[in-house]
Amino acid sequence: MKLVLLSGGSGKRLWPLSNDSRSKQFLKVLPAPDGQRESMVQRVWRQIGEVGLASHACIVTGNAQAEIIHSQIGEQVPLIIEPARRDTFAAIVLAASYVSSVVKADPDETIVVMPVDPYVDVEFFATIQKLGEVLKSTGSSLALIGAAPTHPSEKYGYILTEESTGEVRTVKRFAEKPKEALARTFMEQGALWNCGIFAGKLSFFMELLRHRGLPAEFASLRERYGEIPKNSFDYEVVEHLRDISVIPYTGYWKDLGTWNTLTEEMTEPISGKGVCSHDSANTHIVNELDIPVAVLGVSNLIVAASPDGILIADKEESPRIKEILGDDHPRPMYVERYWGWYRVLEYGLNDRGDEVLVRRVCILAGKSLSYQMHKQREEVWTITAGHGEVILESRRRAVHIGDVIRIPQGVKHSILAHHELQMIETQIGSSITEADIYRFDSPWSIDD
């Protein structure tokens, strides 16, 4: 069995903590076994490891999420990078091509595709391991997992089956997010919540490529990625099949896609600096800022604050935030990278019309920024914590708290943290973009 996890989206329903570079699955707000907080992707990867599936798993994602995935769950995790966002059908067939032409898996290998962020018990993954046997015993093209509904939710899709009971059922049809009355009827008929889990033989997924005239070889498919239909796997494939089986799952399953569902799984009502009066029932504060938030005499609220903005909403109405935000994609103000993180403190124009960007940067011990230079901006680094080494055009020197390093345009530079290092970075130039980063081979040896 090969397990393919899909990681994408911007998770706007969890704004302002989620943004284009830090989607909902990366928010560290869930309780971890060690008493700390973990993200959804960290929780799922830990559970996969507990059942022995980590060595059989890979993650499909885009370039924007690659660094934060490695930062949170390790650089050893195999990533399949999409050339562009093209919905779940493209992501799944790209993963199948990788498993076939790079991993060299057998065509009869079972491929299980799932989201990277379901909130489930570890027993859920034991159920996943049954899907290969279901494919074999039923001869179905696909096998799914459906969660037994606990209430008539309007937020989930439903799987209606030919049989109302049984360990393996035949799928009759799907229904997308019905109104409560219809959802209640579905429950009475034994319908299941659609968990977004697909399992099929590798040969089945490869046939999808052949049928559309697309190459099976991974590198070739990436080159022609724009030709793959931009559609969900459900609409492109699942809804057209008549031989689909489903296993009911009676354990705990939840999609933490909105603030009201996420806060139900938080063990503490306040995360970060904040205070909530005793008469503010069912109210949560999630605060990433260095200033306190106070809530007095108001119930059923989510108050979320981050460098990207502040949200104050009734929990039941919080899913509407995606409608309010629209399609805007502002500069993310907090970003996690494989080497640490940065937070934007200020952005604007100076008297000369140059862009000015000020960031607080944290580099983890033993990590370094890439060896790079810029043609359209200069930088000034002020070390505020920790110590390390700086390289400017091959010249190395130690840096400590209070040191100031000026980096002119066109000068190659990098910094290595011997101990967790923080600095205030000021960028000034005619253009401050990712396109103005020219990277070179790392100057740091493994012994540094």
Side-chain angles (χ1 to χ4, degrees), residues 218-367:
F218 179 67
S220 299
L221 184 61
R222 288 189 88 253
E223 291 177 359
R224 296 176 58 183
Y225 202 66
E227 299 177 31
I228 301 176
K230 191 175 184 179
N231 213 343
S232 73
F233 191 78
D234 296 82
Y235 292 133
E236 186 72 18
V237 178
V238 177
E239 293 188 359
H240 305 289
L241 294 176
R242 295 293 176 265
D243 57 336
I244 305 176
S245 297
V246 61
I247 306 176
Y249 176 68
T250 56
Y252 197 75
W253 175 87
K254 199 173 189 181
D255 177 14
L256 304 185
T258 60
W259 279 114
N260 51 338
T261 56
L262 179 59
T263 52
E264 289 172 355
E265 305 304 331
M266 294 173 60
T267 55
E268 300 292 337
I270 300 174
S271 175
K273 292 184 178 180
V275 60
C276 200
S277 64
H278 69 278
D279 56 345
S280 297
N282 191 33
T283 288
H284 280 77
I285 297 174
V286 182
N287 183 13
E288 291 189 334
L289 302 179
D290 292 329
I291 56 175
V293 171
V295 177
L296 306 176
V298 188
S299 298
N300 303 312
L301 284 190
I302 173 62
V303 180
S306 85
D308 284 317
I310 298 173
L311 170 70
I312 303 170
D314 181 280
K315 286 186 177 179
E316 289 301 316
E317 297 299 322
S318 63
R320 293 172 53 201
I321 186 60
K322 190 171 182 179
E323 305 168 17
I324 301 297
L325 294 176
D327 294 327
D328 289 343
H329 296 277
R331 178 192 295 272
M333 305 297 279
Y334 178 86
V335 175
E336 284 189 40
R337 294 287 175 86
Y338 72 92
W339 44 259
W341 54 264
Y342 70 79
R343 176 174 293 176
V344 175
L345 304 178
E346 184 178 346
Y347 173 74
L349 300 177
N350 63 17
D351 294 341
R352 297 182 307 184
D354 291 329
E355 292 184 66
V356 179
L357 179 69
V358 182
R359 310 190 302 181
R360 179 181 297 279
V361 179
C362 177
I363 305 170
L364 303 176
K367 301 292 185 180

Side-chain angles (χ1 to χ4, degrees), residues 160-166 168-172 189-192 246:
L160 286 82
T161 59
E162 298 288 355
E163 310 89 351
S164 59
T165 60
V168 179
R169 305 183 198 173
T170 304
V171 174
K172 181 163 57 177
Q189 296 172 352
L192 305 166
V246 61

